[in-house]
Amino acid sequence: MSRKITPVILAGGIGSRLWPLSRKAMPKQFLPLLSDESLLQSTLKRVTGSQFNAPILVCNEAHRFIAKSQALDVSKNVTLLLEPEGKNTAPAIALAAEYAQKNGLLGPLLVMPADHYICDFEKLLARLDDAVALAEAQQLVTFAITPTEPHTGYGYIRQGPPLHRDGCYKVAEFKEKPVLKLAEQYIASGEFSWNSGMFLFFADVYLSELKRFAPKIASSIAQAASFTEDLGFLRPNADILKTCPSDSIDYAILERSENVAMLPVDLTWSDVGSFSALSKIANKDQFGNYLGSQGVSIDSENNLLISEADHTIAALGIRNKAIIHTHDATLVADKKALDKLPELLKQLAQRDNDKLTHHQAVFRPWGNYRTLVESVGFKVKKIIVNCGAKLSTQRHHHRAEHWVVVSGIASVHVGDDKFELGADQSCYIAAQQIHSLANCHDEPLIVIEVQTGAILDESDIERFEDEYGRE
């Protein structure tokens, strides 16, 4: 039994307003947007103090391997709780609450999105005692951000009567994202704060309020919470979860319950929900340009230049532009027009939906691969195999492969032959040959794979043996 605070990190978002950096297969919480670490890793690092239990990370089934890889880089003790499909925040939090109750985590839950930016989290830590005291009084506590401007991209919370703890209040009402004039009125009144999406409450209190206001969600989650473990992941009953309604904690509970308290915190905070938001918090040069690690500029002001890997963006005589370059797409926009990005993506979806979904890096249970070059009849990949990991024993009907080892030692099985390859050594796998690749050593294995053939996508895989249970 533990009465420490248990962090619950919600990592199910998509972040479409940050396309082409953020994709459905690699959403913004897994991207290193503001430093060398991802937003998820920054969030996990905030809750490593002695007052916390190991965090519960709730993420989508599709992102489980990248979530696990990034989480384990920060902490070796993270509970990875999978959702087979996103059902919004109310069911996701309920799954974590059910898990906490079943595993003797009796202290409060600190719920946080995985994809927010906070540079002074110690201010919230300083208010945890007040938040816990409110939670012990059966309150659902929401951390409200002291606003710095009339922002139209955030929801707002109106302050109600004061509570017995200094600086704590009942919630009078929640307000949707306002138009600018209304947001200005909110700020001028001094009664409103931004809705941060961070909460603190006890699991049993949350589940009780969920049962009261959203009984269908509560019932579905209670039935689905027969967790099974698989490769270090915890899975609820997927068939039952399919019937669970989708709703946010705000709509399902907070806007309807009378047991909601707000605790204003003066954080330097952003939900990093758009390139406009990213531009405000990114480090800039003396002319207001964010250049990233590769950008250069002359006679240019107030630009946002972001590129992947070693690609250089050179800006000459431009102002107020966002130029976002990835391996397969480039966004060029006037910064004032960035709010129309969703409309642009609707057009893109009609032409090439894959550009909205897939990213250059693809994570697997054994490591990851990155497509470097692709054209008619050939594809080149960089494959990284983790220490002690093994790809499935498989064959391809329509393509041949060449493997060239860059570093590490590859344990290779091709047909009846088994052998090892070191750096600068290679082998050939013909179409129809059964083969496998493993890393049995203590350093990562890096391999360049050259595919040739008529069909080069992932559908041309016939698996015979797989440590990870894939078909």
Side-chain angles (χ1 to χ4, degrees):
M1 300 292 182
S2 174
R3 298 198 65 84
K4 289 184 177 182
I5 297 171
T6 299
V8 175
I9 312 299
L10 305 179
I14 295 176
S16 60
R17 287 179 176 270
L18 289 174
W19 184 89
L21 295 179
S22 179
R23 316 279 179 101
K24 289 181 181 178
M26 180 69 87
K28 65 172 180 173
Q29 58 267 29
F30 304 118
L31 299 177
L33 295 175
L34 295 160
S35 67
D36 292 335
E37 61 191 18
S38 70
L39 294 175
L40 168 62
Q41 291 173 318
S42 296
T43 302
L44 288 169
K45 284 185 176 181
R46 294 180 195 128
V47 289
T48 56
S50 60
Q51 70 268 53
F52 297 111
N53 288 318
I56 300 171
L57 175 58
V58 185
C59 72
N60 192 282
E61 170 92 13
H63 305 138
R64 63 194 184 280
F65 298 123
I66 177 59
K68 182 177 181 179
S69 174
Q70 291 196 2
L72 293 180
D73 281 344
V74 175
S75 172
K76 301 304 179 185
N77 191 16
V78 177
T79 298
L80 293 149
L81 185 55
L82 301 183
E83 292 181 289
E85 59 180 293
K87 292 288 186 177
N88 216 318
T89 53
I93 296 169
L95 281 173
E98 289 279 4
Y99 173 83
Q101 286 197 321
K102 291 177 183 293
N103 288 273
L105 302 175
L106 303 181
L109 307 178
L110 174 60
V111 179
M112 298 185 296
D115 55 359
H116 289 185
Y117 165 80
I118 305 173
C119 71
D120 46 7
F121 192 69
E122 65 275 2
K123 293 180 179 178
L124 188 146
L125 295 177
R127 300 300 308 273
L128 279 181
D129 287 346
D130 292 325
V132 171
L134 291 173
E136 288 173 339
Q138 309 296 296
Q139 296 290 303
L140 304 173
V141 182
T142 177
F143 293 95
I145 306 298
T146 304
T148 57
E149 60 177 323
H151 204 295
T152 59
Y154 299 149
Y156 285 74
I157 309 172
R158 186 165 70 85
Q159 180 177 303
L163 294 169
H164 62 282
R165 305 289 295 197
D166 289 343
C168 302
Y169 305 88
K170 293 291 289 183
V171 170
E173 61 180 330
F174 289 85
K175 290 290 189 179
E176 295 292 330
K177 298 174 182 178
V179 297
L180 180 59
K181 185 174 181 180
L182 192 54
E184 290 172 344
Q185 292 174 8
Y186 290 169
I187 300 300
S189 73
E191 298 178 350
F192 287 85
S193 299
W194 290 334
N195 187 352
S196 72
M198 296 186 289
F199 314 100
L200 187 137
F201 39 68
F202 285 88
D204 59 340
V205 175
Y206 176 77
L207 292 173
S208 176
E209 292 292 88
L210 186 68
K211 185 175 181 180
R212 179 182 173 197
F213 293 108
K216 290 183 179 180
I217 295 178
S219 176
S220 294
I221 296 300
Q223 294 177 64
S226 53
F227 300 103
T228 57
E229 188 170 353
D230 170 30
L231 299 175
F233 302 106
L234 287 172
R235 299 174 185 270
N237 188 305
D239 291 333
I240 294 175
L241 274 182
K242 289 179 182 178
T243 67
C244 180
S246 175
D247 208 351
S248 70
I249 181 177
D250 300 70
Y251 290 145
I253 301 177
L254 300 183
E255 294 185 4
R256 305 165 70 187
S257 173
E258 64 275 14
N259 298 319
V260 183
M262 62 182 287
L263 200 161
V265 187
D266 185 20
L267 293 180
T268 304
W269 169 90
S270 171
D271 69 350
V272 201
S274 66
F275 284 116
S276 296
L278 181 61
S279 181
K280 288 180 180 179
I281 57 179
N283 292 326
K284 305 175 187 67
D285 67 12
Q286 60 181 321
F287 303 107
N289 299 302
Y290 175 74
L291 302 176
S293 60
Q294 299 292 325
V296 293
S297 72
I298 293 178
D299 296 333
S300 299
E301 296 178 354
N302 195 32
N303 297 296
L304 180 68
L305 310 182
I306 300 177
S307 61
E308 285 186 343
D310 297 325
H311 187 90
T312 295
I313 299 177
L316 181 60
I318 63 172
R319 285 160 181 77
N320 303 313
K321 298 295 185 289
I323 303 175
I324 316 299
H325 175 85
T326 66
H327 66 288
D328 64 347
T330 303
L331 172 68
V332 180
D334 190 292
K335 291 175 74 173
K336 294 180 180 179
L338 286 170
D339 288 343
K340 295 182 180 179
L341 181 57
E343 298 176 28
L344 189 67
L345 298 186
K346 288 179 182 178
Q347 289 190 28
L348 183 62
Q350 297 173 1
R351 297 188 177 189
D352 190 351
N353 193 51
D354 188 67
K355 290 288 194 297
L356 302 179
T357 301
H358 291 108
H359 200 271
Q360 188 178 29
V362 177
F363 286 79
R364 293 289 187 253
W366 44 261
N368 67 83
Y369 69 83
R370 187 179 293 265
T371 300
L372 304 179
V373 181
E374 181 175 7
S375 188
V376 177
F378 77 93
K379 181 187 290 188
V380 181
K381 290 182 177 179
K382 176 183 178 182
I383 298 173
I384 300 178
V385 186
N386 297 331
C387 303
K390 180 180 182 293
L391 282 67
S392 62
T393 300
Q394 58 187 249
R395 70 177 170 191
H396 311 296
H397 295 279
H398 303 283
R399 74 174 184 244
E401 295 175 341
H402 285 83
W403 289 342
V404 182
V405 176
V406 176
S407 63
I409 299 174
S411 298
V412 180
H413 172 195
V414 180
D416 295 327
D417 297 326
K418 295 183 179 180
F419 50 91
E420 288 192 336
L421 299 174
D424 299 327
Q425 295 182 313
S426 63
C427 68
Y428 172 72
I429 304 102
Q432 304 291 339
Q433 278 192 305
I434 295 174
H435 60 280
S436 66
L437 174 66
N439 179 6
C440 302
H441 297 270
D442 294 331
E443 63 174 307
L445 168 65
I446 300 178
V447 173
I448 298 299
E449 176 181 274
V450 181
Q451 303 177 2
T452 56
I455 298 176
L456 303 175
D457 60 40
E458 296 301 295
S459 65
D460 185 24
I461 296 177
E462 181 184 1
R463 289 192 173 95
F464 295 92
E465 177 185 331
D466 185 45
E467 295 181 357
Y468 312 106
R470 296 169 297 172
E471 296 180 356

